[in-house]
Amino acid sequence: MEAIDIHALIAPQALACSTEITTRRKTATIAQRRAQLKALDTLSFYANATSQNLPLPVVALAESVVADMNEAAIDPEAANLLEELHAENRSSEWLGRMQLTDEVQASEEPVSPSGVVTTLVLINGRLRSRRLDLATVDMVVVAGCHVAQRAAEKLKEDPKVQRLLAGRRVVWMQPAGRTLELDELEQWNAKFPATPMHVALRNSQWVGMDLTALPTFHVMKDGKVVASHRGWSRDGATPGDLLRMLKRHRRR
């Protein structure tokens, strides 16, 4: 399934949400402000899950909503939601907390050309920013869950897959999300040293990729997605459709 263009689907709702927040800052009730936060949360989720740019400054709007709430009204749910939005959208505050501000700024200047993404990799216990040219990649596997780890284990020992992937560059990528556990990245890299995990800095850079199902396998050509397979078999075996896709797009 191709990434959904949320701009065409929910741009009017996004504009309405932004307008309500900015025009009713002083008159909105606590209940309405909580509803506004939940609306921003929904917009952020769908934009990031479908590798799209957000049609509004969701983090800044969420901060303004929280700033207008009395301290007593900022319940744990609201505070946690704001924190998750910072992480999911890689805000300047989140980058500073992760000691990535200077690295990311340096890696993105000049502006990255099309097909070049910024990833975060764990090196000696610390996240570092790296550029990745997708034109040099043959397959991107969207991962970051236990099922994806089981898939990686199976692919590593499946001789059919190993033959089909021989000479290909495969990148395992964890989308930008609301949590980022460094110890899990470390465990993954120790278990799969040949394919360390790349964490997306911004999901919108991974154009045309479905980030809603883990794992999803995207075959790449010249930096663009040409075929995809979503999910993994319930019985743990390598999916037949995945094998057929790899055969169709094997290097000549």
Side-chain angles (χ1 to χ4, degrees), residues 21-33:
I21 292 172
T22 54
T23 59
R24 300 184 61 185
R25 285 196 63 175
K26 303 304 180 183
T27 60
T29 65
I30 295 299
Q32 288 170 334
R33 288 183 175 127

Side-chain angles (χ1 to χ4, degrees), residues 1-11 13-14 38-59 85 87-90 142 173 175-178 200-213:
M1 184 182 73
E2 296 183 355
I4 299 171
D5 184 356
I6 67 159
H7 292 274
L9 293 175
I10 61 174
Q13 290 86 344
K38 290 181 179 180
L40 291 170
D41 174 58
T42 301
L43 290 170
S44 177
F45 171 80
Y46 281 107
N48 279 286
T50 54
S51 61
Q52 303 286 323
N53 282 307
L54 282 163
L56 74 170
V58 64
V59 175
L85 289 176
E88 184 173 56
N89 295 286
R90 305 308 199 217
V142 183
M173 183 272 281
R178 302 184 174 200
L201 177 65
R202 295 183 178 87
N203 290 345
S204 59
Q205 293 182 331
W206 302 77
V207 178
M209 297 192 192
D210 177 17
L211 310 180
T212 60

